[in-house]
Amino acid sequence: MGLEQYKGDMEMCCRCSTCKFIPMQRVSGHDFVNVCPSISRFNFHSYSGGGRLNIGAAMLRDGFQYTDRLLDIVYNCQMCGACGVSCNYAMDMEVLEPIQEFRIRCVADGKTHPALDKAIAGLRAHGSMVPPTGKRGDWAIGLGLKDATREKVDVLYHAGCLTSYDPSLQKLARATAKILQKAGVNFGIAGDAEICCGGRAYQMGYQEDFLRQARENMALIKQAGIKTVVTACAEGYQAFKVLYDKFKLRGDLEVLHISEFVDRLIQEGRLKPRKKVGLSVTYHDPCRLGRLGEPWVHWEGKKVPGDRFVFDPPKTYRRGTHGVYDPPRNVLKSLPGVTLTEMTRIKEYAWCCGAGGGVSESNPEFAQWTARERIREAESTGAEALVTACSWCEKAFDEAIRETGSALKVYDIVELVEAAIS
Amino acid sequence: MTQEPKSPAMGTLAGMETGADALNAYSKDISFVNSVRPACVTRPKDAKDVQQIVKFANETKTPLVPVSSGAPHFRGDTVPSVGGAMIVDLSAMKKILLVDRKRRVAMCEPGVTFAELIPEVEKAGLRLNMPLLPRKSKSVTGSMLEREPVLMPKYHWDISDPLACAGLFFGTGDEFRTGQAAGPGTIAEQWAVGGVQKAPYGPGTASWHRMIQGAQGTMGIVTWTSMRCEILPSLEEPYVVGSLQLAPLLELAHWLVRLRMVNECFLLNGANLAAIFARRWPEDYVKRKAALPPWVLFYTVAGYEYFPEERVRSQVQDITEITQRLGIEAQRAAGGVSAREILRTVQRPSEEPYWKLRAKGACQDIFYLTNLEKIEGQIETFLHLGEKAGCAASDIGVYVQPIVQGTSYHCEFNLFYDAENRRESDRVREISALGTKALIAEGGFFSRPYGENARMMVNRDAASVAVLNKFKKIFDPNHVMNPGKVCF
Amino acid sequence: MALSKDVYRAFEDVVGAEYICDDPVIMPSYHQTEFAAVLLPQNTAEVQAIIRLCNKFSLPFRPVCTGWTGKFAKGSLYLDLRRMNRIIEINEKNMYAVVEPYVISAQLQAELMKGGLHLNVKGAGSNCSAMLRGHGHLDQTTSGDDRNHLAIEWVTPAGEIVRSGSLGSSDEWFCGDGPGPSLRSILTSAVPPGVTPGVFTKAAMKVYHWPGPAKFPIQGVSPNYSLSEIPPNFMARYYSFPSVAKMFEAENKIGESEIAFELMGFNVAMVAANITTSNEEEEETFRRLSREVQGPGFFVIVAGNSAADFAYKRRVLEHIVAEAGGKSLASLEDPRLEGILLCQCIRISASIRETFRPGGMFSSIPVMGQRDLTIQWAIGAGKAKEPLIAKGLIVDDGGAFFGWGVEQGHLGKTEIFCKFDPQNPEAKAAVEAWHKEQSTRAFKERYFALLAGQDEEIGRGLSNYHIWWNEIQKELDPNRVSPEGGALV
């Protein structure tokens, strides 16, 4: 079905432009009102969520006509889903799904972006979205972690490509492992056997590559008898929890983000953050932990003939309502000496870090522009540090800070937890 | 456009007069504009007469000067700027066409004065949003077309208020109705289905009434107007707040208007209040002036149909909080003038003789619009300039009227003088010119520029004038409508 | 249709290569029209330069802000004003704000509320330009139509910059009228509805006192926003009445008594749209509320400047409602729903739920002016919807119309919708026929004239206004580069 299944949704777009802004009730001033990086950066309406749907509907009607501009529009989108949240405050229609399908269609038609092709070639060759810098499991050397492919564990910690290979971010994997150790969790890692979750490939439009990764990962998990997967990266979280479920590959695997797990551990008294951290922070909701981290809703049905855009059986839209918003905040609030000040754009209408949708590969300048905007917003809170819960976000923010010379510090939530429990 | 009647012969025009007395009466007014004697005076009785006159003027290229109020005139707009003009005196068109309580609207011809209309609307339980003490002969229509400021800023939603709709003949002779009155249907047909002539905007994109307001008769001649009316309160409690300083009164006025707690709300200085209430001249005037505070803010708190006492009580309580914060006090009287007396007085036209003429027989008004921050400085500038020219600041009347719900302020200086005294007259003329110039330099906006100082304002905005002249070309292609006025 | 290289380059010289595009691929996102190009000017100077080039090359242009549906001439230039989005000034003492066209009402309202002010947000929604002409939920106390504009900076269709009123001669924004006749006579439609030719590049608008909090205490995650508490001295209620006559009697008395912060003559279908988060829930809620009400009704917000002011207003409201036989809709007295409605109807954040959500399209007959007169007409227009509802061609809203008093009942707004699926040709045809019949009836029976373009018969029936307007356009736009056409912003 692909894009065709969303014909009705795309035709529902009334071009009201709410997809460009945070939900109207949340607008609290002139600044920080935009929610979509793409329209904010490129300005032509076609770069907005609605504009993308309008183009999709027109191409379904009149045939696909690829131009450089069209591909520029397609690939300059972080697939962050903010447009859909704002739209779905009022409208019953899919927004991100047709945008995703449009991209999948482009890839299927061979209309790809060279930088993304390169990234996917790396994935096919090395099972990673980032170039390997050594062995995948090197980050864990010396930590004495269990190999989940060989030993029986309750929990598999999936470190993810970036955290595994990026020397500056391996600390996040180590911090995560130490937290789990401290809490006495029976967990293991897949080490060198770990492969990419496939989530970023999917965002880039390479559905088949995603499915291959998903199947391989689930095979490993099944073979190892894993019941629970924990990720500390929002990309991996969304892939395992939402996308695998979307393609009916997840089964009954429990998927937790480390922030959810830590929140649970603290509540159960298994983890006691006692050491004063002493930091004023603001928290960035990663798109794929927040609004796109909400569970997949399986639905099949048909439009009811008649006046309303309603379906039989009724369709439940994923409006970003059930994303993971509170656990990371609970964790931060439980850390001694940490004070949390919120930014304007938070939770379901958070501004993206810029790294999603392959944009950090296809248009690093745009990715940086997007991250800088978030840094500016974080600075406006007066906080000393910007805390996130995804290594891709941290990388994007680190680069933006290097470029702008901002005094803001960037931490992953696991770093602060580690500091509070060590 | 509309079907035009055949051109009439001049002699058949309504109420035609060419006698010297009649012509002299329209050749000058109290302002300093040059005296120009018209060629004739017409006194139409109805719209048909008006159309014939406009038709005639177009065919003979005769300048027309519409006049709706009775004498005395003050601003030069009814004195011809060119020779050979025909005065179109509409004061005989005196029909009150409609008073509708339910829709809060009245409608009348241009000759109807405040003195005539007020009792009629009151009978229906309505009231007009009045300018400050118009002379008895002042046309209601004339006042609205001039965008005169009104006393109740709370009900002044738009600067065009209280004008609702108008029926008119453009300078071309074509009939036109503005706003809701435009159609569909004739006025009678509209009435038949329950329609009144209330909504001002349209037809179409334009708000045509705004084009004839402030035009000083240069776009066409109005044969009727309708106006929004307000409900007569069942309880009114007036107050005055006197002060040596203007600033706290302006601050209070801002909040009273902003919170919409008061009906009438304006500021006068001692000179003007004394001029309004003095009975014997000059002793009483001098005495009153000395007794009054330099600045007085007047306002009325009112109640309507439901629990009026409770409404007044709650608003007075809220106002008291503000006055206490500002360190001022609302009272029932100031300097021997009671608030009740002020209220009673300003709800009617001026008694005869007209209050501005009582002191010395003539008065020159310098008025403009400004914002809250600039009023004090501008007043200081003007009074200083007056002093320098030999006119004591304490003799210059000042009136400050918050308008358009507090988005701007009408500021007016009243220079009372003896027109027969050449030195005094020259001095006032000089103050008027220098004052206008100085006020413009300090951001004063003369939105209704009259007479010889009008050029100082219009010359500052060539772009707007260029557009206005495009309108003029359309609505008065033969340039017969009051040539020489505003920027035409 | 495409611009020649030289012409393209000329426009590119004005806005820069990044802000012009003529690739046909982007055009479907711009109203299904084959525009010659889309341009994104960033300031008045660029707008002026563009318009001058349009005159030179005889190219029509249309300025648009956030850009809802509209009709545009093929081959015209689309001026997307989204880069002109600055709040120039908020003047608290003089109660006005100055904005560029792409400042949306939500932004301006939020900034104003911080200083105890607010503005007339148009019913189209707070996602639209703050300088839009029109009416909305807040009209009871914040006026509407073209009556909130003060000075305006306008680039004429000939490319001249005109600064109306006090702006032109005194460099102040407080007044848009004079010297002499007012240019507001034609500067009525801020940016697009596209009817005042040229482009409004900045506009000052009246703002009003806001007695509420600097920010609403919103809680929850979209779409389940609610208020954590009803702000002090605020109250929202929905009252239904035994008849339209009784409803209007109460509406009018509330206006005359000056007690309502907002009076929105919602029918229950619109209430249901506001408080529900999906089509299915809306349908169910509409049915339930329809059973609860005794007849037509309205939604009222009372806001006091103080506790005493609030108590007085509330007492009068309850008295008036009782006199007219009104009944409060009990389920909306639930503070959660009260809070949702209160916030929606002040921030105007659910207009799309009211209009587009059910079927994807709505067709409306909006009437500004005399409320009692237009209600008379709307009763008939509502009845004429019933067969369409029975056939399932339009969404069932009980055949209702809606409307409200403007300026405490001095003026009014009445409107009636048909919400339908635009992909259903039968529904589309039926709605078009209903629209035509009812607007024709309004004209023939002397209620009002619905203007849609230059209709000769309607023009003749309205003082030949169309001829005069055409003359004005010719004078202002000698090269006819600034065509008319409806488009919301």
Side-chain angles (χ1 to χ4, degrees), chain A residues 16-18 21-27 29 33 89, chain C residues 66 68 102-110 119-132 135-138 343-352 489:
Chain A
C16 65
S17 283
T18 49
F21 305 107
I22 64 175
M24 290 298 120
Q25 290 200 17
R26 291 295 192 180
V27 173
V33 70
Y89 174 75
Chain C
T66 49
W68 268 2
Y102 206 85
V103 172
I104 59 169
S105 291
Q107 285 175 294
L108 182 58
Q109 187 187 49
L119 80 156
N120 178 260
V121 181
K122 308 306 174 297
S126 52
N127 50 308
C128 296
S129 171
M131 62 161 77
L132 178 63
H135 281 283
H137 308 53
L138 296 156
C343 190
Q344 298 280 34
C345 294
I346 289 174
R347 301 229 60 186
I348 324 299
S349 47
S351 302
I352 298 154
V489 284

Side-chain angles (χ1 to χ4, degrees), chain B residues 158-413:
Chain B
D158 188 298
I159 202 165
S160 65
D161 291 342
L163 179 65
C165 305
L168 68 141
F169 291 98
F170 283 131
T172 56
D174 291 294
E175 189 183 4
F176 194 81
R177 282 175 269 144
T178 68
Q180 186 182 354
T186 62
I187 298 294
E189 285 169 336
Q190 292 171 16
W191 286 347
V193 289
V196 291
Q197 292 65 47
K198 182 83 184 274
Y201 28 71
T205 306
S207 280
W208 306 85
H209 64 300
R210 300 186 198 279
M211 206 173 287
I212 52 168
Q213 279 186 303
Q216 299 177 25
T218 57
M219 293 291 179
I221 300 181
V222 167
T223 56
W224 60 261
T225 52
S226 59
M227 70 223 68
R228 56 171 59 203
C229 299
E230 306 304 335
I231 297 162
L232 268 181
S234 62
L235 175 66
E236 289 175 298
E237 292 297 341
Y239 292 90
V240 284
V241 188
S243 175
L244 291 170
Q245 308 298 326
L246 188 55
L249 300 187
L250 288 171
E251 178 73 7
L252 177 59
H254 162 76
W255 282 103
L256 296 179
V257 176
R258 175 171 172 169
L259 298 172
R260 295 198 193 154
M261 292 192 292
V262 296
N263 284 357
E264 288 85 355
C265 180
F266 56 85
L267 293 106
L268 291 170
N269 72 347
N272 261 351
L273 256 185
I276 291 167
F277 288 101
R279 295 284 174 265
R280 295 179 313 279
W281 294 77
E283 342 51 82
D284 191 26
Y285 172 68
V286 173
K287 217 168 99 189
R288 277 184 182 271
K289 208 166 62 170
L292 281 161
W295 297 103
V296 173
L297 169 67
F298 172 83
Y299 62 83
T300 315
V301 182
Y304 292 92
E305 187 176 349
Y306 298 99
F307 318 116
E309 291 84 6
E310 191 178 330
R311 183 182 207 251
V312 167
R313 198 165 46 244
S314 84
Q315 296 196 333
V316 167
Q317 188 183 318
D318 288 351
I319 292 169
T320 304
E321 276 187 29
I322 302 170
T323 52
Q324 282 174 349
R325 180 160 48 83
L326 296 171
I328 48 183
E329 196 181 350
Q331 293 175 319
R332 292 298 196 169
V337 181
S338 82
R340 182 71 61 188
E341 192 183 358
I342 297 176
L343 178 64
R344 226 175 5 243
T345 305
V346 299
Q347 288 181 336
R348 291 279 178 280
S350 168
E351 291 299 324
E352 291 295 336
Y354 181 46
W355 71 274
K356 289 182 184 174
L357 304 184
R358 285 178 209 155
K360 294 190 168 181
C363 181
Q364 172 75 359
D365 302 334
I366 295 100
F367 51 86
Y368 62 100
L369 302 184
T370 188
N371 65 20
L372 195 67
E373 292 88 344
K374 288 188 172 168
I375 298 173
E376 267 195 292
Q378 288 162 342
I379 290 177
E380 203 176 305
T381 297
F382 190 90
L383 296 181
H384 180 67
L385 208 139
E387 291 258 13
K388 254 175 77 181
C391 180
S394 60
D395 286 338
I396 298 175
V398 186
Y399 163 45
V400 177
Q401 178 65 62
I403 62 167
V404 199
Q405 297 182 327
T407 54
S408 52
Y409 293 78
H410 165 93
C411 187
E412 178 172 326
F413 300 99

Side-chain angles (χ1 to χ4, degrees), chain B residues 155 157 207 258 310 374, chain C residues 92 146 172 206 258 315:
Chain B
Y155 297 121
W157 297 81
S207 280
R258 175 171 172 169
E310 191 178 330
K374 288 188 172 168
Chain C
E92 192 225 331
D146 69 336
E172 292 281 359
K206 277 173 74 186
E258 305 172 357
R315 185 177 174 208

Side-chain angles (χ1 to χ4, degrees), chain B residues 1-2 101-104 147 154-161 170 172 174-177 180 182-185 189-190 193-196 198-208 210-211 213-215 218-219 228-231 251 254-255 258-261 304-308 310-311 314-315 317-318 369-374 404-409 443-449 457-458 460-461 463-464 467-468 470-471 473-475 486 488, chain C residues 91-96 115-117 133 135 139-148 150 154 156 161-170 172 174-175 177-186 188-189 195-196 206-210 248 252-253 255-258 305-306 308-309 311-312 315-316 319-320 323 368-370 372-373 376 407-412 442-443 445-449 451 461-465 467-469 471-472 475-476 484:
Chain B
M1 307 206 179
T2 52
R101 162 65 184 83
K102 196 169 146 200
R103 282 76 170 229
R104 292 181 250 170
R147 294 198 302 257
K154 167 176 145 182
Y155 297 121
H156 199 213
W157 297 81
D158 188 298
I159 202 165
S160 65
D161 291 342
F170 283 131
T172 56
D174 291 294
E175 189 183 4
F176 194 81
R177 282 175 269 144
Q180 186 182 354
E189 285 169 336
Q190 292 171 16
V193 289
V196 291
K198 182 83 184 274
Y201 28 71
T205 306
S207 280
W208 306 85
R210 300 186 198 279
M211 206 173 287
Q213 279 186 303
T218 57
M219 293 291 179
R228 56 171 59 203
C229 299
E230 306 304 335
I231 297 162
E251 178 73 7
H254 162 76
W255 282 103
R258 175 171 172 169
L259 298 172
R260 295 198 193 154
M261 292 192 292
Y304 292 92
E305 187 176 349
Y306 298 99
F307 318 116
E310 191 178 330
R311 183 182 207 251
S314 84
Q315 296 196 333
Q317 188 183 318
D318 288 351
L369 302 184
T370 188
N371 65 20
L372 195 67
E373 292 88 344
K374 288 188 172 168
V404 199
Q405 297 182 327
T407 54
S408 52
Y409 293 78
F445 175 52
F446 287 69
S447 74
R448 307 185 286 133
M457 197 75 236
V458 296
R460 291 171 68 88
D461 190 0
S464 291
V467 178
L468 291 175
K470 290 179 195 295
F471 297 164
K473 194 171 134 192
I474 295 166
F475 298 112
V486 197
F488 307 119
Chain C
N91 192 317
E92 192 225 331
K93 279 288 169 220
N94 297 290
M95 312 274 286
Y96 68 76
L117 297 169
R133 174 186 188 175
H135 281 283
D139 284 2
Q140 177 80 194
T141 48
T142 64
S143 189
D145 208 86
D146 69 336
R147 290 167 59 80
N148 279 312
L150 301 170
W154 171 49
T156 73
I161 297 173
V162 175
R163 305 166 88 219
S164 67
S166 54
L167 188 64
S169 42
S170 306
E172 292 281 359
F174 58 76
C175 178
D177 308 77
S182 174
L183 289 186
R184 283 178 66 211
S185 53
I186 58 155
T188 54
S189 300
V195 277
T196 294
K206 277 173 74 186
V207 297
Y208 298 85
H209 182 69
W210 166 241
F248 181 67
N252 205 38
K253 293 221 163 190
E256 290 186 354
S257 305
E258 305 172 357
N305 294 323
S306 64
D309 184 40
Y312 167 75
R315 185 177 174 208
V316 175
H319 193 88
I320 290 171
E323 270 184 346
M368 275 67 82
Q370 190 187 328
D372 61 321
L373 179 72
Q376 275 185 59
E407 296 177 6
Q408 290 164 332
H410 265 298
L411 299 166
F443 183 71
E445 295 178 8
R446 314 295 192 210
Y447 288 110
F448 62 88
L451 306 179
L462 299 179
S463 282
N464 284 314
Y465 88 94
I467 298 172
W468 296 109
W469 182 242
E471 289 294 314
I472 289 173
E475 277 295 320
L476 295 175
E484 286 196 60

